[in-house]
Structures are given as C-alpha cells and as structure tokens.
Amino acid sequence: MLGLDPDGLEELGVQVEQTFAFMHPDEFQFVLGFLHRLDSTADRVFFDSLAASPDLVAEALTGSSGPLQLEDVQPLEFPELGEASGAMTGKLRTAGIRFQSELVVFREGSVGAVLIVARLDGDQPMLKLTDLAGLLLVRIRNA
C-alpha cells in the first residue's frame, strides 16, 4: 500500500508472517500492519532492539519502495505497549502527495507487530494509533 514494502523488514532480518490493511471508504486514511512470529529468545531480543528504534523500521519499509520518501521523522510519545515498544511520527511523500503517518513497533510474547496509521497531511485522524495498537495487543494476547 502506497509503496510500503514488507521486504524491507525481511532485509532487516524480520520474517513477515501476516500482513493486513484497511482503508476508509470515504476518507484517504489507512491502517497497515505486519505480524511476525518470534520463536527464539534471540529473535525476541532482536525485535526488542527494533522496537527501541522504530525509525529504522520506517526506513526499511520505505527504503526499498522507490518513489516513497520519509520526511520529518520524530519520536512519538506513546504509552508502554506489550513487553517492548517504540513509536515514531513522520511524513510520507509519494507522487507529490504528502501523508502524516504514525508507526508503532511492539512485542507481546512471541509475536512482534508493526502498525502504521496514515492520512493526508492536514487531515484529522479518524482512529488513534493508541486505540488500534491496544486492540491489536488484546487480540494477540487472546490468540
């Protein structure tokens, strides 16, 4: 979606197990997520290091996608989520269109998650990243 490429995560060493995306039918806002199984302690420790540096995850997702540019990257104040987490905000630009985006990376047990919410720059978010991430965390815990 928009040139965000999970192959970039695999280049970081994270095998994507599941991908999901939702787009609002009337507003140009979307949610994109990736789930990863982390079977070993080493996998969990590595993913925790990515959660501590969500900007690296964002760069990996945009780096291999050609015309998509990541700009104005900033850490995002975010409540602790799962056993390890980190969040960032930034702008995505493609084909002259600019999007405001937020990304959170978190781990709960043996599941790592990357969740992105994006909308046209200047639009108000219809869904908060904290609410969506909390819902995903509950689903991971109940799986």
Side-chain angles (χ1 to χ4, degrees), residues 11 15 30 44 54-55 65 77 119 137:
E11 290 173 13
Q15 180 69 34
F30 67 89
R44 291 182 196 108
D55 54 317
S65 60
E77 290 294 321
R119 62 193 174 279
L137 178 63

PDB file of all heavy atoms in Angstrom, residues 11 15 30 44 54-55 65 77 119 137:
ATOM      1  N   GLU A  11      14.760  -7.629   4.965  1.00  0.00           N
ATOM      2  CA  GLU A  11      16.163  -7.231   4.829  1.00  0.00           C
ATOM      3  C   GLU A  11      16.775  -6.895   6.193  1.00  0.00           C
ATOM      4  O   GLU A  11      17.972  -7.051   6.388  1.00  0.00           O
ATOM      5  CB  GLU A  11      16.287  -6.052   3.873  1.00  0.00           C
ATOM      6  CG  GLU A  11      16.007  -6.421   2.432  1.00  0.00           C
ATOM      7  CD  GLU A  11      15.951  -5.237   1.499  1.00  0.00           C
ATOM      8  OE1 GLU A  11      16.363  -4.127   1.892  1.00  0.00           O
ATOM      9  OE2 GLU A  11      15.482  -5.418   0.362  1.00  0.00           O
ATOM     10  N   GLN A  15      11.101 -11.823   9.537  1.00  0.00           N
ATOM     11  CA  GLN A  15      10.255 -12.556   8.601  1.00  0.00           C
ATOM     12  C   GLN A  15       8.792 -12.170   8.825  1.00  0.00           C
ATOM     13  O   GLN A  15       8.242 -12.408   9.904  1.00  0.00           O
ATOM     14  CB  GLN A  15      10.440 -14.064   8.805  1.00  0.00           C
ATOM     15  CG  GLN A  15       9.610 -14.916   7.882  1.00  0.00           C
ATOM     16  CD  GLN A  15      10.070 -14.826   6.442  1.00  0.00           C
ATOM     17  OE1 GLN A  15      11.252 -14.691   6.168  1.00  0.00           O
ATOM     18  NE2 GLN A  15       9.141 -14.892   5.525  1.00  0.00           N
ATOM     19  N   PHE A  30      -5.617   5.207   6.118  1.00  0.00           N
ATOM     20  CA  PHE A  30      -5.448   3.759   6.103  1.00  0.00           C
ATOM     21  C   PHE A  30      -4.639   3.272   7.300  1.00  0.00           C
ATOM     22  O   PHE A  30      -3.938   4.039   7.951  1.00  0.00           O
ATOM     23  CB  PHE A  30      -4.804   3.280   4.793  1.00  0.00           C
ATOM     24  CG  PHE A  30      -3.388   3.718   4.596  1.00  0.00           C
ATOM     25  CD1 PHE A  30      -2.333   2.948   5.074  1.00  0.00           C
ATOM     26  CD2 PHE A  30      -3.088   4.886   3.918  1.00  0.00           C
ATOM     27  CE1 PHE A  30      -1.018   3.335   4.888  1.00  0.00           C
ATOM     28  CE2 PHE A  30      -1.774   5.286   3.724  1.00  0.00           C
ATOM     29  CZ  PHE A  30      -0.737   4.509   4.213  1.00  0.00           C
ATOM     30  N   ARG A  44      13.448 -12.502  19.832  1.00  0.00           N
ATOM     31  CA  ARG A  44      12.749 -11.520  20.666  1.00  0.00           C
ATOM     32  C   ARG A  44      13.664 -10.360  21.035  1.00  0.00           C
ATOM     33  O   ARG A  44      13.259  -9.191  20.978  1.00  0.00           O
ATOM     34  CB  ARG A  44      12.195 -12.198  21.914  1.00  0.00           C
ATOM     35  CG  ARG A  44      11.054 -13.146  21.605  1.00  0.00           C
ATOM     36  CD  ARG A  44      10.472 -13.784  22.875  1.00  0.00           C
ATOM     37  NE  ARG A  44       9.686 -14.927  22.490  1.00  0.00           N
ATOM     38  CZ  ARG A  44      10.043 -16.192  22.692  1.00  0.00           C
ATOM     39  NH1 ARG A  44      11.163 -16.483  23.320  1.00  0.00           N
ATOM     40  NH2 ARG A  44       9.268 -17.168  22.295  1.00  0.00           N
ATOM     41  N   PRO A  54      12.173   2.644  16.222  1.00  0.00           N
ATOM     42  CA  PRO A  54      11.142   2.493  15.188  1.00  0.00           C
ATOM     43  C   PRO A  54      11.464   3.231  13.890  1.00  0.00           C
ATOM     44  O   PRO A  54      10.959   2.868  12.832  1.00  0.00           O
ATOM     45  CB  PRO A  54       9.879   3.047  15.852  1.00  0.00           C
ATOM     46  CG  PRO A  54      10.369   3.922  16.948  1.00  0.00           C
ATOM     47  CD  PRO A  54      11.669   3.328  17.406  1.00  0.00           C
ATOM     48  N   ASP A  55      12.330   4.239  13.957  1.00  0.00           N
ATOM     49  CA  ASP A  55      12.715   4.944  12.736  1.00  0.00           C
ATOM     50  C   ASP A  55      13.441   4.008  11.766  1.00  0.00           C
ATOM     51  O   ASP A  55      13.300   4.132  10.546  1.00  0.00           O
ATOM     52  CB  ASP A  55      13.562   6.170  13.054  1.00  0.00           C
ATOM     53  CG  ASP A  55      14.773   5.842  13.908  1.00  0.00           C
ATOM     54  OD1 ASP A  55      14.649   5.061  14.874  1.00  0.00           O
ATOM     55  OD2 ASP A  55      15.858   6.371  13.612  1.00  0.00           O
ATOM     56  N   SER A  65      11.117   0.923  -1.629  1.00  0.00           N
ATOM     57  CA  SER A  65       9.880   1.133  -2.380  1.00  0.00           C
ATOM     58  C   SER A  65       9.977   2.203  -3.450  1.00  0.00           C
ATOM     59  O   SER A  65       8.970   2.626  -3.994  1.00  0.00           O
ATOM     60  CB  SER A  65       8.743   1.469  -1.412  1.00  0.00           C
ATOM     61  OG  SER A  65       9.068   2.643  -0.695  1.00  0.00           O
ATOM     62  N   GLU A  77       5.581  10.211  21.536  1.00  0.00           N
ATOM     63  CA  GLU A  77       5.238   9.819  22.907  1.00  0.00           C
ATOM     64  C   GLU A  77       4.115   8.794  22.819  1.00  0.00           C
ATOM     65  O   GLU A  77       3.094   9.038  22.172  1.00  0.00           O
ATOM     66  CB  GLU A  77       4.777  11.036  23.708  1.00  0.00           C
ATOM     67  CG  GLU A  77       5.878  12.017  24.012  1.00  0.00           C
ATOM     68  CD  GLU A  77       6.934  11.432  24.946  1.00  0.00           C
ATOM     69  OE1 GLU A  77       6.571  10.695  25.876  1.00  0.00           O
ATOM     70  OE2 GLU A  77       8.122  11.719  24.733  1.00  0.00           O
ATOM     71  N   ARG A 119      -2.710   9.279   6.933  1.00  0.00           N
ATOM     72  CA  ARG A 119      -3.808  10.080   6.389  1.00  0.00           C
ATOM     73  C   ARG A 119      -3.192  11.228   5.597  1.00  0.00           C
ATOM     74  O   ARG A 119      -2.012  11.530   5.754  1.00  0.00           O
ATOM     75  CB  ARG A 119      -4.688  10.609   7.514  1.00  0.00           C
ATOM     76  CG  ARG A 119      -3.916  11.526   8.448  1.00  0.00           C
ATOM     77  CD  ARG A 119      -4.662  11.828   9.736  1.00  0.00           C
ATOM     78  NE  ARG A 119      -3.833  12.580  10.651  1.00  0.00           N
ATOM     79  CZ  ARG A 119      -2.909  12.076  11.446  1.00  0.00           C
ATOM     80  NH1 ARG A 119      -2.686  10.776  11.435  1.00  0.00           N
ATOM     81  NH2 ARG A 119      -2.203  12.837  12.247  1.00  0.00           N
ATOM     82  N   LEU A 137      -3.053  -5.500  20.489  1.00  0.00           N
ATOM     83  CA  LEU A 137      -2.422  -6.166  21.625  1.00  0.00           C
ATOM     84  C   LEU A 137      -3.380  -7.136  22.301  1.00  0.00           C
ATOM     85  O   LEU A 137      -3.014  -8.272  22.624  1.00  0.00           O
ATOM     86  CB  LEU A 137      -1.909  -5.118  22.630  1.00  0.00           C
ATOM     87  CG  LEU A 137      -1.271  -5.667  23.896  1.00  0.00           C
ATOM     88  CD1 LEU A 137      -0.021  -6.479  23.585  1.00  0.00           C
ATOM     89  CD2 LEU A 137      -0.946  -4.534  24.861  1.00  0.00           C
TER      90      LEU A 137
END
